[in-house]
Amino acid sequence: MKKLEINLDHIDYQILRIMQNNARTNNADIARELGMAPSAILERVKKLEQKEVILQYNAKINPAALDQNLLSFIFIKTSDIIGEQGIAYLLAEIPEVQEVHDIAGDDGYLIKVRTADAAGLVDLMRNTLGKIEGIISTRTTIVLETIKEEQKLVIPTV
Amino acid sequence: MKKLEINLDHIDYQILRIMQNNARTNNADIARELGMAPSAILERVKKLEQKEVILQYNAKINPAALDQNLLSFIFIKTSDIIGEQGIAYLLAEIPEVQEVHDIAGDDGYLIKVRTADAAGLVDLMRNTLGKIEGIISTRTTIVLETIKEEQKLVIPTV
DNA sequence: TTTGAAACGCACGCTTA
DNA sequence: TAAGCGTGCGTTTCAAA
């Protein structure tokens, strides 16, 4: 993650707040809401994208609609030397793996995985994780139900 | 999460794939890519929204740009009876808490939290979590570095 | 469920303040 | 940086198949 030497003002914050809640809000609507000209908003949005303040625009899809009903967190102990993350990048390439975090303590990595069901998880662990050299052990936590799941950040007011 | 009695076809999958990668792709572009009329795409997108296949459109914002540089996972043991989730909903109301999962085993809940730094985390644990009745214990895992973090689902090909 | 036509509104570059 | 303007394009509705 890059260093950001950017100063965001309260108008930027408002734009970010709107975009975070509905990435398909059009320029004209944002402009109306903030009482500015659309061209000025467009200019700011482009800069926010350029400066990587806005990283991407995603549609959040219902996992159940695609039969991906099992969410799991797996702690992975590896032979990676501290500071190196070779295995982390291998893990990141697996499509079912949504997140890979290098964590403090001796667990190594924490990954978040979405599969259709328990069988899919077993399959992934056996046939994909099992094939990765250097994984010493894993500890899996199964999610029974998700009460909240979003990536929204707390945006400063004013 | 609701039951979904919807049949998605391969055109829907393609739309979802495009939208998942860039939620601001316009109708006309999707139509061109799929070789259909824009109005047909619009119709499908609206249905996908109605049926809650597409849940929302989010801008993914760089946490560093908003000085939220510390990510943590916290396991929370509570006095919630199994099957009840009173405390989970209290946790979900905290803005810094991005995720709340009810997990198997005796840990109770797993939450994902984003704060500015360690001081912010301590503050949250003391002043917010500490004020919630029924939390028996917590176990915190600090993220040193995030290698991958997204919510993209694996969409069936064809 | 798709298409095409038509009306309307928006995007976006340019110029000026 | 922001506003105002203009043109090309996208969006959206509707009738028809």
Side-chain angles (χ1 to χ4, degrees):
Chain A
M1 207 152 290
K2 279 182 196 167
K3 276 282 149 50
L4 301 168
E5 69 295 335
I6 315 142
N7 280 352
L8 303 177
D9 64 17
H10 74 107
I11 297 174
D12 292 316
Y13 288 147
Q14 287 180 280
I15 292 172
L16 292 176
R17 194 172 300 116
I18 292 168
M19 286 297 216
Q20 188 169 238
N21 283 307
N22 182 5
R24 281 179 77 82
T25 311
N26 65 34
N27 258 314
D29 282 342
I30 300 174
R32 268 188 289 271
E33 192 166 336
L34 304 190
M36 291 175 69
S39 53
I41 300 296
L42 183 66
E43 189 72 19
R44 280 173 177 266
V45 170
K46 282 192 172 167
K47 268 185 200 152
L48 291 169
E49 291 170 356
Q50 266 176 19
K51 294 178 176 177
E52 297 181 60
V53 175
I54 296 177
L55 297 172
Q56 22 176 338
Y57 302 101
N58 300 117
K60 185 173 167 186
I61 297 169
N62 192 334
L66 299 181
D67 273 315
Q68 296 181 27
N69 294 306
L70 184 66
L71 181 63
S72 321
F73 288 90
I74 309 178
F75 290 89
I76 297 184
K77 227 175 267 197
T78 74
S79 58
D80 268 359
I81 295 155
I82 292 171
E84 290 200 16
Q85 299 170 326
I87 291 170
Y89 291 107
L90 295 177
L91 295 170
E93 284 172 9
I94 304 168
E96 290 86 354
V97 173
Q98 296 192 323
E99 303 185 16
V100 178
H101 306 282
D102 188 349
I103 59 177
D106 42 42
D107 265 318
Y109 300 115
L110 173 60
I111 69 175
K112 181 178 172 182
V113 175
R114 223 176 258 281
T115 53
D117 49 27
L121 177 61
V122 170
D123 186 72
L124 182 97
M125 294 188 71
R126 187 173 299 155
N127 299 318
T128 308
L129 297 188
K131 295 276 184 334
I132 297 178
E133 300 267 325
I135 291 182
I136 293 169
S137 68
T138 65
R139 187 161 48 83
T140 303
T141 295
I142 298 288
V143 171
L144 301 176
E145 193 181 349
T146 294
I147 290 88
K148 179 180 187 178
E149 184 177 31
E150 51 184 45
Q151 299 221 19
K152 290 182 190 172
L153 302 180
V154 178
I155 297 176
T157 49
V158 178
Chain B
M1 205 151 290
K2 279 181 195 167
K3 275 282 149 51
L4 299 169
E5 67 298 332
I6 314 141
N7 279 352
L8 303 177
D9 64 17
H10 74 108
I11 298 173
D12 292 317
Y13 288 147
Q14 288 181 280
I15 293 172
L16 292 176
R17 193 170 302 115
I18 292 167
M19 286 298 216
Q20 187 169 240
N21 284 307
N22 181 5
R24 283 179 77 83
T25 310
N26 64 34
N27 258 316
D29 282 342
I30 300 175
R32 267 189 289 270
E33 193 166 335
L34 304 190
M36 293 175 68
S39 49
I41 301 297
L42 183 65
E43 190 71 18
R44 280 172 177 268
V45 171
K46 281 189 174 167
K47 269 183 200 152
L48 291 169
E49 292 170 356
Q50 266 175 20
K51 296 178 174 176
E52 297 181 60
V53 175
I54 296 176
L55 297 172
Q56 23 175 336
Y57 301 100
N58 300 119
K60 185 173 167 186
I61 297 169
N62 192 334
L66 298 180
D67 272 314
Q68 296 180 28
N69 294 304
L70 184 67
L71 180 63
S72 320
F73 288 89
I74 309 178
F75 290 90
I76 298 184
K77 227 177 268 198
T78 73
S79 57
D80 268 0
I81 295 157
I82 291 172
E84 290 200 17
Q85 299 170 327
I87 290 170
Y89 292 106
L90 294 177
L91 295 170
E93 285 171 9
I94 304 168
E96 290 86 354
V97 173
Q98 296 192 321
E99 304 186 15
V100 179
H101 305 282
D102 188 349
I103 59 176
D106 42 42
D107 265 319
Y109 300 115
L110 172 60
I111 69 175
K112 181 177 171 182
V113 174
R114 223 175 258 281
T115 54
D117 50 26
L121 176 62
V122 170
D123 186 73
L124 182 97
M125 295 188 70
R126 187 172 297 153
N127 298 319
T128 308
L129 297 187
K131 294 273 184 340
I132 296 177
E133 301 264 329
I135 291 182
I136 294 169
S137 67
T138 66
R139 187 161 48 83
T140 302
T141 294
I142 298 289
V143 171
L144 301 176
E145 191 181 351
T146 293
I147 291 89
K148 180 180 186 177
E149 184 177 31
E150 51 185 43
Q151 300 221 18
K152 291 182 189 172
L153 302 181
V154 178
I155 296 176
T157 50
V158 178

